[in-house]
Amino acid sequence: MNICKLVLEYIEQYPKDEPIFIEDIKKYVIQQCENDNKQESVLKNINVILNRLKNEGIIKAEYKGVYYKPIISMFGEVPLNTNKLRKLKYLEDKDGNIKGYIVGAKLFNKLGLTTLVPNVTDIVTNECKYHKQYDGRLRTYITKPKIEITNENYRYLQFIDILDNKDNIYIEAQNADEILYRIIEECKLDFEKIIKYARETNNRKVLDKLFILAR
């Protein structure tokens, strides 16, 4: 099996300015070489091939384990879109599986709860293996969730984090409760499930706020 051909085949399916994760390349090649007993040798070859493609300018690497095909504009080479990389790395994989959600001041600003415009993004994600980490390249703080994030529960967990407001973000909106009710309605959240997840995450502060909202 021609490893170089497989790597190029995988890369070619991606449009320019789209993050390509080395782990996905390796999975693809290994699947095609599943009858090859020398997997360790195959993986080493992939690293060599990617290095060569990078030196030839076919792909670029601005982040550990992530490549992309650059766009060349009249002003020169366009860097990889940070928002795309952040989304794929921490929020949602290429198959649409949710693995994280935005919290903190950036979310509060988007909802109209504060006018504060943060220069970093806060994300709760399954990709965080420790309590909290800082990704300087993406200017993002990532936090480990109390329970695993899924497509079914992420909106509930995000809503609980809004109520928790553990960073004590100053709420400027005079209609904060209306905004919270609107989130429940627009996201079609079940109130009993909100309480269920609040109990699962052992958040007494949120449970107290929920009982006030339910009145």
Side-chain angles (χ1 to χ4, degrees):
M1 185 68 71
N2 189 320
I3 306 302
C4 184
K5 184 179 177 182
L6 287 173
V7 171
L8 282 169
E9 182 179 276
Y10 186 84
I11 289 171
E12 282 171 3
Q13 68 178 304
Y14 278 83
K16 292 182 177 180
D17 192 41
E18 194 71 26
I20 308 170
F21 290 81
I22 188 171
E23 291 307 317
D24 291 336
I25 297 173
K26 288 179 177 179
K27 283 177 188 175
Y28 174 77
V29 174
I30 290 297
Q31 283 173 356
Q32 304 305 313
C33 304
E34 58 184 355
N35 296 324
D36 195 324
N37 294 321
K38 301 177 180 177
Q39 285 195 5
E40 189 176 334
S41 174
V42 169
L43 293 176
K44 284 182 180 177
N45 281 338
I46 292 172
N47 290 329
V48 172
I49 291 164
L50 290 173
N51 231 9
R52 192 175 76 237
L53 294 176
K54 186 176 71 172
N55 292 336
E56 291 173 359
I58 295 172
I59 56 175
K60 293 283 182 179
E62 278 197 9
Y63 193 97
K64 185 179 178 182
V66 182
Y67 297 87
Y68 70 102
K69 295 188 289 186
I71 294 174
I72 309 298
S73 73
M74 60 184 291
F75 302 107
E77 193 175 289
V78 179
L80 177 64
N81 186 303
T82 301
N83 290 327
K84 284 184 181 179
L85 178 53
R86 183 186 292 113
K87 178 181 177 182
L88 284 170
K89 191 165 179 60
Y90 297 128
L91 296 172
E92 180 181 345
D93 69 22
K94 59 188 178 66
D95 296 319
N97 298 308
I98 302 296
K99 54 185 176 179
Y101 54 85
I102 294 174
V103 292
K106 185 158 283 191
L107 176 63
F108 278 47
N109 178 273
K110 182 180 178 182
L111 295 172
L113 291 167
T114 182
T115 57
L116 179 66
V117 182
N119 56 12
V120 295
T121 302
D122 292 281
I123 293 175
V124 179
T125 175
N126 296 335
E127 295 297 321
C128 184
K129 305 307 177 188
Y130 306 101
H131 175 63
K132 192 165 188 174
Q133 299 166 254
Y134 180 63
D135 185 331
R137 168 65 178 81
L138 297 178
R139 301 182 76 173
T140 299
Y141 279 104
I142 59 172
T143 303
K144 185 178 181 179
K146 291 182 178 178
I147 58 176
E148 185 179 5
I149 298 165
T150 67
N151 288 19
E152 290 71 37
N153 71 16
Y154 79 99
R155 292 194 182 278
Y156 287 95
L157 298 179
Q158 186 180 49
F159 185 73
I160 286 168
D161 280 345
I162 292 169
L163 292 179
D164 190 16
N165 188 14
K166 63 181 180 181
D167 294 325
N168 294 315
I169 300 163
Y170 178 63
I171 307 297
E172 300 169 63
Q174 300 298 311
N175 62 335
D177 283 354
E178 288 179 22
I179 291 173
L180 294 174
Y181 286 124
R182 189 176 71 231
I183 295 169
I184 292 173
E185 185 178 338
E186 290 179 356
C187 296
K188 298 179 180 178
L189 302 181
D190 182 286
F191 211 86
E192 288 185 6
K193 282 187 178 181
I194 301 174
I195 294 172
K196 169 183 171 288
Y197 285 118
R199 283 177 174 154
E200 282 185 23
T201 55
N202 196 27
N203 199 319
R204 184 72 241 178
K205 176 182 172 184
V206 169
L207 284 169
D208 289 342
K209 287 189 176 182
L210 285 171
F211 291 136
I212 292 170
L213 278 175
R215 289 176 183 173

